[in-house]
Amino acid sequence: MEFESRIDLSELHEAVTNIRAEVGKIIIGQQNTIDLLLTAIFADGHVLLEGVPGVAKTLTAKLLAKTISTNFSRIQFTPDMMPSDVLGTAVYNPKTTEFDFKKGPIFSNIVLIDEINRSPAKTQAALFEVMEERQITNSGTTYQMSFPFLVMATQNPIEQEGTYRLPEAQLDRFLFKIVIKYPTFEEEIKILQGNHERSVGQANNPVAMVQSVMSAKQLQGLREKVRLVLVEEKILEYIAKIIHETRNSKFLYLGASPRASVALLNASKALAAIRGRDFVTPEDVQELAKPVLCHRIILTPEKEMEGSTADDVIAQILQKIEVPR
Amino acid sequence: MENINFRDDNFSQTRVRRKDNYNKRRSDYRLTLIKTILLYGLILFITNSSSALPSKEIYKNYAQDSSKITVRKPLESKMSVLRKLKDYQYTVQESQVIDTWWKRLLRRFFNWFGSLFTGVGNPTFWKTAAYVFIASVIVYVTLKLMGVDFSGLYRKKNSNEIPYETLGENIHAIDFANAITEATTKKNYRLAVRLYYLKALKELTDHEMIDWKINKTNRSYVYELNSPTLRPDFEQITLQFEYAWYGDFPVDETQFIHIKNQFLTFSEGLSRVS
């Protein structure tokens, strides 16, 4: 006997399959990263990609943006960057004798902020309003961002000189922090094969090889379906217990915010829909707990000195809480 | 070229300034030395002058005062009056109040405690300090061996205690036969499906095919189950349970019978394998 899904998720399933296929033309492996990026797209959340140089953080983000037929802009954050370089600025127009607002590169649908931690705090702070409220206020006028609006930022965890650590308020605005690791040995060989084949075939621009497979309107419709995904009360309690435990853990100096619990809920709904279910299971919550919480919590100095990471503490918390059954 | 000359001028000026400063400091030092020598000379002169004063022989020719001195004494009556006045009572009177045993104990304790700190040269102080140190080390090591965490000692206790039970439902303590009958009688088929699933987990644990833990998900148990004959059936009943329980799908009698049969088939398969 099989239960029939109450929400038609076939269109979403088709879109996910197509996006995976398009990105998979260039990106080898990184299935988990791509799944999390797709989850973020359907959950309407921003993503922080962290990884050492050369693991295709920027390329993955660019390719994923290409699969959705929307506007895309890339901002390279530098130490001398000002908020107006990102948001835009009022410019005097001699013809009209008035100041016109010249929109910055943030006015796009998918914005890739490369090396976000290279810019000082004041430029990072310029993103607070636009990331949370999808709007920019300049000289008393509020400009709404067009749909969809998604920020994909990258940062390098190794190089610390000349970088500015993202403030907690900024980190909390990212749905996920996805840590991209090195490929496996087999994946590395496939990467080399693919690169060699492309260079022989004179196809040196990998982004041009990827086609758009989803429109903004389609994405809007699919997000509406994701919102309808059912969450049983026990699952809500389970999420609340995890978040509450981060606030009571003796290993944590700072626990997760209510925004984190909402993020975990929305992301779990999106992941359930991607997996073809119209309801959330504890499995979805457990799987997303680390990428949702790892950048929102701060370890105590004692725990940090022991060499523990945020992921270790989250794993301990998950071990402690009973899965609803 | 001008720049080079300018640098040379600067250099020579600096040299001249340094030389002037050196000469000034040297003359100051000489002056101070002369002043010191003069001062010592003056002191020596005064000392020698005092030793050269006229001796007592010089004074014997002067007239001497031979008048009688009368010693006056205060009246005894007046003295006794003054002695009785409070202002002239210099001795401290011991308190006439009787101390309680508690006050005496405290006084003795503080006297003893104060004696410890009468000085670092006091041997009692060092002896006591050594005892305190050894006792602290013993207590610390004992508590550490017992696994007591000290990190929370200096931290403010969080007032928000966890308002929920983290202990899991003990599947070994549930009377499944009665619970399933009761749920089926009440036509609560969704609950009956849950109970059947928990029963399946209990049976797998009893047969040591899975390791039951509260934090494990259903998929974890599916991956954990190594038996190739049981795994597809277990995966199927897991799916049924998830749809009925987490998916909140309504389960009618017909559907329940179908799901129940799947659970029974799994149980039979499990008993055959083991």
Side-chain angles (χ1 to χ4, degrees):
Chain A
M1 198 205 88
E2 280 193 7
F3 292 99
E4 274 189 26
S5 184
R6 288 154 293 195
I7 306 165
D8 182 15
L9 296 168
S10 57
E11 197 183 350
L12 189 137
H13 183 254
E14 192 187 336
V16 167
T17 312
N18 290 338
I19 292 170
R20 276 186 187 145
E22 287 299 316
V23 176
K25 284 179 184 173
I26 308 296
I27 302 293
I28 307 295
Q30 293 190 14
Q31 286 308 311
N32 189 43
T33 303
I34 294 164
D35 281 357
L36 285 173
L37 283 167
L38 284 168
T39 308
I41 287 171
F42 291 117
D44 196 10
H46 310 292
V47 181
L48 178 64
L49 293 160
E50 190 179 276
V52 293
V55 287
K57 300 185 291 288
T58 308
L59 184 63
T60 310
K62 278 169 84 173
L63 294 176
L64 200 77
K66 183 78 188 294
T67 58
I68 306 165
S69 54
T70 52
N71 293 323
F72 171 75
S73 70
R74 182 187 192 281
I75 313 169
Q76 176 67 50
F77 266 32
T78 54
D80 62 344
M81 193 164 246
M82 300 296 283
S84 57
D85 296 331
V86 179
L87 305 178
T89 186
V91 178
Y92 181 69
N93 187 344
K95 282 183 186 172
T96 57
T97 65
E98 283 178 356
F99 280 91
D100 295 338
F101 181 66
K102 189 173 165 53
K103 289 178 178 177
I106 198 80
F107 282 88
S108 189
N109 296 116
I110 297 178
V111 183
L112 170 63
I113 299 174
D114 217 10
E115 301 200 69
I116 191 168
N117 57 340
R118 293 237 169 248
S119 181
K122 66 178 173 185
T123 312
Q124 290 174 7
L127 298 168
F128 283 178
E129 186 188 2
V130 71
M131 283 178 74
E132 184 60 23
E133 296 166 53
R134 267 80 170 165
Q135 64 177 41
I136 284 166
T137 307
N138 187 286
S139 309
T141 311
T142 302
Y143 303 90
Q144 296 292 333
M145 307 303 287
S146 58
F147 179 88
F149 179 71
L150 174 71
V151 173
M152 284 193 271
T154 69
Q155 70 173 10
N156 172 6
I158 303 297
E159 249 179 86
Q160 296 302 320
E161 202 175 333
T163 61
Y164 303 85
R165 194 183 174 276
L166 295 182
E168 301 313 318
Q170 175 80 31
L171 287 167
D172 204 35
R173 281 163 166 79
F174 284 104
L175 178 69
F176 296 143
K177 184 173 105 172
I178 305 171
V179 179
I180 303 181
K181 291 172 182 166
Y182 284 119
T184 61
F185 182 72
E186 289 76 20
E187 286 169 354
E188 190 102 36
I189 293 169
K190 283 181 185 171
I191 290 167
L192 293 172
Q193 278 175 344
N195 205 277
H196 174 64
E197 282 165 16
R198 280 198 298 275
S199 65
V200 169
Q202 301 291 312
N204 289 325
N205 186 6
V207 182
M209 291 170 68
V210 171
Q211 304 296 317
S212 298
V213 288
M214 188 168 63
S215 67
K217 200 178 174 184
Q218 256 183 308
L219 178 61
Q220 195 167 15
L222 295 176
R223 276 190 185 170
E224 287 301 321
K225 284 182 180 175
V226 166
R227 281 195 195 104
L228 298 174
V229 168
L230 189 134
V231 189
E232 218 257 334
E233 207 178 314
K234 293 258 179 197
I235 304 284
L236 292 175
E237 273 179 33
Y238 183 53
I239 293 171
K241 280 179 188 177
I242 294 168
I243 301 297
H244 204 266
E245 190 60 31
T246 64
R247 295 172 200 159
N248 288 291
S249 173
K250 61 182 176 183
F251 304 131
L252 294 177
Y253 171 73
L254 178 76
S257 63
R259 190 191 276 142
S261 55
V262 174
L264 188 54
L265 171 69
N266 290 338
S268 302
K269 284 162 80 174
L271 187 65
I274 287 170
R275 288 177 171 167
R277 272 185 278 107
D278 64 355
F279 60 91
V280 174
T281 63
E283 194 109 35
D284 303 322
V285 178
Q286 270 199 8
E287 199 170 324
L288 295 172
K290 282 182 187 175
V292 170
L293 300 177
C294 69
H295 57 293
R296 300 172 198 256
I297 57 173
I298 300 176
L299 266 64
T300 56
E302 298 90 19
K303 206 68 188 162
E304 264 187 29
M305 280 193 284
E306 281 175 20
S308 296
T309 61
D311 280 359
D312 296 335
V313 176
I314 295 165
Q316 281 176 4
I317 287 169
L318 290 176
Q319 275 179 7
K320 200 176 166 187
I321 297 168
E322 187 190 1
V323 168
R325 205 173 268 117
Chain B
M1 286 298 285
E2 281 178 16
N3 282 339
I4 294 165
N5 286 334
F6 178 69
R7 278 181 199 150
D8 286 349
D9 288 347
N10 267 349
F11 181 67
S12 59
Q13 280 171 12
T14 312
R15 281 188 68 184
V16 168
R17 271 203 300 275
R18 279 181 184 169
K19 199 171 180 182
D20 287 348
N21 285 339
Y22 173 75
N23 290 335
K24 193 169 178 253
R25 278 205 302 274
R26 203 171 166 188
S27 64
D28 285 349
Y29 173 73
R30 278 179 185 164
L31 193 66
T32 312
L33 192 68
I34 291 163
K35 278 179 181 174
T36 312
I37 291 165
L38 283 173
L39 185 69
Y40 273 111
L42 187 66
I43 291 165
L44 282 171
F45 174 73
I46 291 165
T47 316
N48 289 332
S49 302
S50 63
S51 63
L53 281 171
S55 64
K56 288 180 181 175
E57 294 296 321
I58 299 169
Y59 296 107
K60 69 181 178 185
N61 295 328
Y62 290 98
Q64 289 182 5
D65 184 8
S66 58
S67 56
K68 195 181 178 183
I69 296 165
T70 312
V71 180
R72 288 193 304 160
K73 286 189 176 179
L75 290 169
E76 190 56 37
S77 58
K78 184 73 178 171
M79 285 294 285
S80 63
V81 170
L82 287 170
R83 279 191 193 108
K84 284 174 186 170
L85 286 175
K86 197 183 173 185
D87 294 342
Y88 298 98
Q89 303 300 318
Y90 298 123
T91 52
V92 180
Q93 294 293 316
E94 284 292 326
S95 173
Q96 297 299 311
V97 181
I98 301 162
D99 282 353
T100 59
W101 66 270
W102 173 243
K103 281 186 177 174
R104 283 199 301 275
L105 186 72
L106 278 178
R107 194 184 302 123
R108 285 186 69 179
F109 172 75
F110 284 120
N111 286 341
W112 169 80
F113 193 72
S115 71
L116 296 178
F117 301 99
T118 48
V120 289
N122 186 356
T124 319
F125 170 78
W126 289 110
K127 205 174 169 184
T128 314
Y131 284 146
V132 169
F133 178 74
I134 292 163
S136 307
V137 169
I138 292 166
V139 169
Y140 178 79
V141 170
T142 314
L143 291 174
K144 204 72 185 166
L145 287 172
M146 286 166 71
V148 175
D149 184 29
F150 296 98
S151 61
L153 280 176
Y154 304 106
R155 280 180 62 186
K156 194 183 168 188
K157 193 171 162 58
N158 201 332
S159 57
N160 299 325
E161 290 298 334
I162 302 169
Y164 49 82
E165 289 291 325
T166 51
L167 289 172
E169 191 176 21
N170 187 2
I171 56 167
H172 299 283
I174 301 171
D175 181 2
F176 284 107
N178 279 336
I180 290 168
T181 312
E182 196 183 335
T184 317
T185 314
K186 289 179 180 173
K187 296 194 173 180
N188 191 349
Y189 298 121
R190 202 169 147 252
L191 178 64
V193 171
R194 175 181 178 257
L195 290 166
Y196 265 118
Y197 188 70
L198 293 179
K199 187 168 170 267
L201 289 176
K202 182 194 177 296
E203 286 169 357
L204 284 168
T205 313
D206 291 344
H207 288 91
E208 294 180 349
M209 287 183 159
I210 60 165
D211 181 21
W212 166 262
K213 276 183 184 167
I214 59 161
N215 63 302
K216 282 186 181 173
T217 60
N218 303 329
R219 293 284 140 193
S220 307
Y221 294 125
V222 172
Y223 298 136
E224 205 175 322
L225 190 61
N226 285 323
S227 169
T229 49
L230 284 174
R231 199 166 168 178
D233 285 346
F234 183 61
E235 205 166 352
Q236 190 59 34
I237 60 169
T238 301
L239 201 69
Q240 304 288 21
F241 163 70
E242 286 187 345
Y243 270 82
W245 194 244
Y246 303 133
D248 203 17
F249 276 84
V251 182
D252 58 22
E253 198 171 351
T254 322
Q255 285 170 318
F256 174 67
I257 290 165
H258 186 83
I259 295 167
K260 183 185 158 186
N261 288 336
Q262 283 184 321
F263 276 104
L264 294 174
T265 311
F266 172 76
S267 289
E268 283 167 18
L270 182 64
S271 53
R272 271 201 303 275
V273 167
S274 55

